[in-house]
Amino acid sequence: MNIWSLRTFKIDLSKLIELIDKYNVTGNFQSLSTLLEDLDKKELVEYNLRDLSFEINGRIEGTQPDNLHYCQIFLENMLMVKDELDFNLDPLYAYNFDILISVYKSRHVTKKEYSSSWHLDKHKDINNTKYTHPTYHFQFGGKKLELIDDEMAILSCPRIPHPPMDIFLGFHFIISNFFNSKNFQFVNLLKEDDEYKQIIKRAQERLWTPYFKAFDSENTNTDFTFKNLFPLYIH
C-alpha cells in the first residue's frame, strides 16, 4: 500500500470525523468535513486546514493566570506532497503548522482574551542560518501572543527539533497534551480504539518513519539526516 495514497488519506480522514462524533470530542470540527470534500478535487495529498478548534471547559493545570477556566485551541496546518515521491527525500515541498491558543475566565466571560501559540516550522536552507536551525522545529511565540507583562520576555529561540505533523498527528498531539484524560473520557477512549490507532500509525509511517530513520546508520535519505534534524549534536 502506498502510504501517501490519496484514497487511504481520505478514508482515514472520514473515519477520524466519525470517531470525533462517536466519542464527543469537544470543539468545532466542521472544517474536516469541508476538507474531505476538497480532497475529492485533488490528485495528491495537499490541503490548507484552518478554523479547526478544540474546546476545554475547565482549567488546564499550570495555566497562568490561574483563574482561567475556558480554553480554545485552534489548529492550522498546510501540507503539500511532492508530485514524484522519492523515499530518499523529504516527501513535503510546502508545510506549515500552528497551534493558536485563547484562554478566558469562563465560557461566558470572554471579554479578556489571554493568548499563546506554538508553531512547527520547516526550514529549507539550514546552511544559511544565524542560530541552530533544525529542518523541522517547534517554536514558542508567534502572531497570537498578546499577554506580555512587565516581567515577561518572548524570544524567538530556541527552536526545538520535532518531526513534522499532519492533521492526524496534530489532532493526537493536542488531545494528548492539553486535555486532562481524567476529566475528558474521550482521550483514553480514542487511544484505545483500534481504528484510531491504525489511523495514527499510518500517519506516523508517512511522516515519522523517514524522519527517525535519520538516526539509523544505514539511512539513505539525503534530507532527513542527523545533521539536518538535530544540528546541536556533535559526533
Side-chain angles (χ1 to χ4, degrees):
M1 180 184 67
N2 181 353
I3 57 172
W4 281 107
S5 160
L6 179 60
R7 179 175 180 273
T8 301
F9 194 92
K10 286 165 56 181
I11 290 172
D12 284 349
L13 181 56
S14 178
K15 179 53 63 175
L16 178 63
I17 293 169
E18 291 178 14
L19 291 172
I20 288 171
D21 184 61
K22 176 180 179 180
Y23 293 118
N24 297 312
V25 182
T26 55
N28 184 346
F29 303 100
Q30 180 57 43
S31 58
L32 293 181
S33 298
T34 302
L35 175 58
L36 189 59
E37 294 176 3
D38 290 342
L39 287 173
D40 285 335
K41 308 167 191 173
K42 305 289 185 180
E43 296 182 359
L44 298 169
V45 177
E46 57 179 31
Y47 60 82
N48 189 4
L49 176 71
R50 303 178 68 86
D51 300 322
L52 182 70
S53 67
F54 301 76
E55 294 182 8
I56 302 174
N57 193 23
R59 184 174 178 273
I60 300 176
E61 187 175 348
T63 300
Q64 294 294 330
D66 61 4
N67 63 339
L68 304 177
H69 297 273
Y70 178 63
C71 179
Q72 288 182 299
I73 301 170
F74 299 89
L75 174 61
E76 298 181 357
N77 178 214
M78 184 268 288
L79 180 152
M80 296 186 180
V81 177
K82 294 175 181 175
D83 287 347
E84 295 183 6
L85 283 172
D86 181 343
F87 292 100
N88 287 315
L89 299 171
D90 183 348
L92 307 182
Y93 76 86
Y95 183 78
N96 188 62
F97 184 97
D98 285 283
I99 296 174
L100 313 172
I101 304 168
S102 298
V103 194
Y104 306 91
K105 242 177 194 183
S106 74
R107 184 190 292 270
H108 305 293
V109 182
T110 57
K111 184 176 181 180
K112 173 62 177 175
E113 175 187 3
Y114 296 84
S115 301
S116 183
S117 63
W118 287 82
H119 55 275
L120 177 56
D121 280 345
K122 176 180 180 178
H123 188 71
K124 294 182 179 179
D125 187 5
I126 64 168
N127 295 314
N128 184 25
T129 60
K130 298 177 182 178
Y131 304 98
T132 299
H133 230 121
T135 301
Y136 286 96
H137 57 270
F138 247 133
Q139 198 169 359
F140 176 69
K143 60 184 179 182
K144 191 73 177 162
L145 274 186
E146 296 169 0
L147 176 65
I148 304 177
D149 63 28
D150 293 339
E151 297 180 354
M152 181 184 291
I154 303 299
L155 304 179
S156 63
C157 299
R159 296 169 178 86
I160 304 168
H162 195 284
M165 293 191 286
D166 62 1
I167 296 169
F168 308 111
L169 297 172
F171 178 91
H172 190 65
F173 181 90
I174 288 174
I175 68 165
S176 299
N177 284 284
F178 293 96
F179 286 87
N180 185 327
S181 60
K182 293 182 180 179
N183 297 338
F184 296 91
Q185 292 186 344
F186 65 75
V187 176
N188 288 331
L189 289 172
L190 275 170
K191 291 181 178 180
E192 293 165 3
D193 186 288
D194 287 337
E195 289 184 309
Y196 180 80
K197 287 191 283 188
Q198 290 305 313
I199 290 170
I200 300 304
K201 285 179 181 179
R202 280 190 286 273
Q204 290 174 340
E205 186 179 358
R206 292 183 196 107
L207 289 170
W208 288 6
T209 295
Y211 180 96
F212 285 113
K213 278 185 177 178
F215 306 98
D216 188 327
S217 60
E218 297 180 358
N219 175 51
T220 58
N221 193 303
T222 56
D223 287 331
F224 290 143
T225 66
F226 208 92
K227 178 183 177 182
N228 289 354
L229 303 185
F230 211 95
L232 275 178
Y233 188 76
I234 297 175
H235 62 98

